[in-house]
Amino acid sequence: MSTVLAYTSPAIGHLFPMVPLLLELKARGHDVHVRTIPKHVPTLSALGLNAGPVDSRLMDIEADDYTAASTKDALASSVDTFTARAWFDAPDLRLAIGEVRPDLLLVDINSWGARIAAEESGLPWATFSPYTPPLQSRGTPPFGPGLLPMPGPLGTLRDAVVRRLVIGAVEKLMLPRINSLRADLSGGTLPPVSGADEMFRTAPLMLVTTSRPFEYPHPDWAPDVRMIGALEWEPPAEPPAWLRDSTAPLVLVTTSSEYQADEVIVRTALAGLAAEPFTVVATLPAAHTGSAGAHRASGTEAFGPVPANGRLEHFVPHGPVLDRAAVAITHGGMGATQKALSKGVPVVVVPFGRDQHEVAARVVASDAGVRLGRKRLTPDGLRAAVQQALTKTPGARRVAEGYAAAGGAAAGADALEQLVRLPRKAGEPGAVPPATGQG
């Protein structure tokens, strides 16, 4: 048995995918501790995890990249957010290490300071990435703009030119801040990183919650980057009575759990599908984040009358809805999109920013749904996109099969156990297989 300490970013889109992995480790007999969003501590404790809150000051540093006027400004805003949080999550993780005395650390990719503290600790540790990390790979377009792969010499040339522009901008904004944090938070004991790939790959292991065929081939990713498929979890809740009584096929509409002014997706879906033979279920998780802006902008009271076939909810368990859904309409968040695809439900993705353009591109490339640009987000445009997405069910099912084949939480736990080389006899449940990369 080993003691594991996990540290999450203060966003449910980062916490929820980690929970199945933590529960798998617990089921294998490990002593699992997690520091996370304060309001979810009781739920995680009830699951048998040793849960505690992250520093409450982290919850006050909200992402406001959605207010930026350009992609570059949005990136700069995100850098400011993660840098500001780093000054609290680094000492917060150090404090937790002193209390728990773990054998292994698992740290969210967006917790910049905690990752520095983990690296400095000398303990075995891994990065947990609930979205495709922006790592370079041969044949893969540069991360960010949402370009589709383009084979042949023309694609190679395009990617080389765009990579210089995109990665150059990322490194210009991020590297000085990252290296300043590394120097200041480690007291000068950690060396600077030289590029974007090195910035994200400071851990001996990175677990990424995706897999082929949703993710592009990465034949040159080293075995330390392990794609384990989508991980699904949501707080235990009884399905509402109206869901049990509904007979029409469902369309699930999701917005970001970290507010980004994307509630227009809900308004457009309710209007565009009002006369269609669906029950439209729209959820607004950001209305519960505690953000005053989120409450003002995305509370259900801001939407006025809802059509007869519409349901507008702050929260409803997505799993039971998706079990009966024909299509899901998402903002392109990795968690919401993959949750639908895991059940073989095709998606319409309306990306707003962050990694969402890349998620949308992967939906198109895997033929598992439709990408709809914000300029085409009209009731008629969204209705047409839903009709097109209905033809993509075979692609969504192939993606679901790929996620299952990647191994999920069990594969992630195997990789973590291998990292600390826990003693297990050959043939014993949970015995660690030889390390392999996934291309």
Side-chain angles (χ1 to χ4, degrees), residues 14-225:
H14 287 240
L15 166 62
F16 286 8
M18 189 188 284
V19 172
L21 179 57
L22 301 181
L23 293 177
E24 174 68 18
L25 290 167
K26 177 182 178 296
R28 295 184 180 201
H30 304 303
D31 183 22
V32 182
H33 297 250
V34 57
R35 296 293 186 269
T36 192
I37 304 168
K39 77 171 188 175
H40 290 290
V41 167
T43 299
L44 298 183
S45 298
L47 296 173
L49 301 173
N50 299 297
V54 295
D55 189 318
S56 62
R57 290 171 291 186
L58 291 168
M59 308 304 298
D60 297 327
I61 304 172
E62 299 177 6
D64 60 359
D65 54 320
Y66 64 91
T67 65
S70 68
T71 301
K72 182 179 178 181
D73 290 345
L75 176 61
S77 175
S78 294
V79 171
D80 288 343
T81 298
F82 298 146
T83 300
R85 290 176 179 172
W87 288 102
F88 299 113
D89 60 40
D92 198 29
L93 179 60
R94 288 195 189 104
L95 180 63
I97 290 172
E99 294 172 348
V100 173
R101 299 190 176 277
D103 303 300
L104 172 68
L105 300 172
L106 180 64
V107 183
D108 188 280
I109 191 171
N110 281 359
S111 296
W112 287 9
R115 288 198 293 119
I116 290 170
E119 183 182 0
E120 183 194 23
S121 73
L123 292 166
W125 73 289
T127 297
F128 181 82
S129 183
Y131 58 84
T132 300
L135 305 177
Q136 296 188 52
S137 181
R138 186 173 64 253
T140 299
F143 192 93
L147 300 174
L148 289 171
M150 179 186 292
L154 186 58
T156 301
L157 177 61
R158 181 205 68 175
D159 291 349
V161 171
V162 176
R163 183 171 288 112
R164 282 197 295 270
L165 296 173
V166 173
I167 302 301
V170 169
E171 291 182 340
K172 185 176 181 180
L173 284 166
M174 284 190 175
L175 282 182
R177 304 291 288 277
I178 283 283
N179 284 328
S180 178
L181 285 172
R182 288 175 64 82
D184 293 343
L185 292 176
S186 74
T189 61
L190 294 181
V193 293
S194 60
D197 269 34
E198 187 181 358
M199 175 173 65
F200 290 105
R201 292 179 69 171
T202 52
L205 174 68
M206 177 185 286
L207 298 179
V208 184
T209 60
T210 189
S211 63
R212 301 282 315 278
F214 184 73
E215 184 51 48
Y216 303 144
H218 297 298
D220 49 351
W221 276 8
D224 64 305
V225 182

Side-chain angles (χ1 to χ4, degrees), residues 191-426:
V193 293
S194 60
D197 269 34
E198 187 181 358
M199 175 173 65
F200 290 105
R201 292 179 69 171
T202 52
L205 174 68
M206 177 185 286
L207 298 179
V208 184
T209 60
T210 189
S211 63
R212 301 282 315 278
F214 184 73
E215 184 51 48
Y216 303 144
H218 297 298
D220 49 351
W221 276 8
D224 64 305
V225 182
R226 303 285 289 271
M227 292 191 286
I228 60 176
L231 300 184
E232 301 175 62
W233 182 84
E234 53 195 4
E238 286 293 322
W242 60 260
L243 182 58
R244 295 193 300 269
D245 297 338
S246 178
T247 58
L250 304 180
V251 173
L252 176 64
V253 187
T254 71
T255 55
S256 179
S257 59
E258 196 160 6
Y259 185 67
Q260 61 169 19
D262 57 1
E263 60 274 3
V264 64
I265 299 174
V266 172
R267 291 193 182 94
T268 307
L270 292 173
L273 301 178
E276 297 297 303
F278 303 116
T279 296
V280 181
V281 182
T283 62
L284 296 157
H288 279 314
T289 61
S291 161
H295 279 289
R296 286 195 302 270
S298 67
T300 56
E301 67 279 356
F303 286 83
V306 175
N309 70 335
R311 299 284 318 188
L312 191 58
E313 305 283 344
H314 283 306
F315 171 79
V316 67
H318 285 172
V321 176
L322 288 168
D323 286 338
R324 295 174 43 199
V327 173
I329 301 170
T330 86
H331 59 291
M334 192 71 149
T337 302
Q338 290 198 136
K339 190 178 291 186
L341 295 178
S342 293
K343 292 182 176 290
V345 177
V347 294
V348 175
V349 179
V350 186
F352 271 61
R354 301 170 185 167
D355 65 325
Q356 294 156 24
H357 293 286
E358 292 297 328
V359 173
R362 284 157 173 79
V363 165
V364 173
S366 61
D367 200 32
V370 177
R371 169 167 53 185
L372 183 66
R374 289 174 65 180
K375 291 182 179 179
R376 294 173 53 211
L377 182 59
T378 64
D380 289 343
L382 186 55
R383 183 167 56 251
V386 167
Q387 294 300 323
Q388 185 182 357
L390 287 170
T391 69
K392 304 295 184 179
T393 300
R397 289 175 177 166
R398 286 193 297 271
V399 170
E401 292 168 359
Y403 289 155
D414 286 346
L416 290 171
E417 289 180 331
Q418 191 172 51
L419 188 64
V420 292
R421 293 179 173 84
L422 296 181
R424 285 182 181 270
K425 297 178 182 178

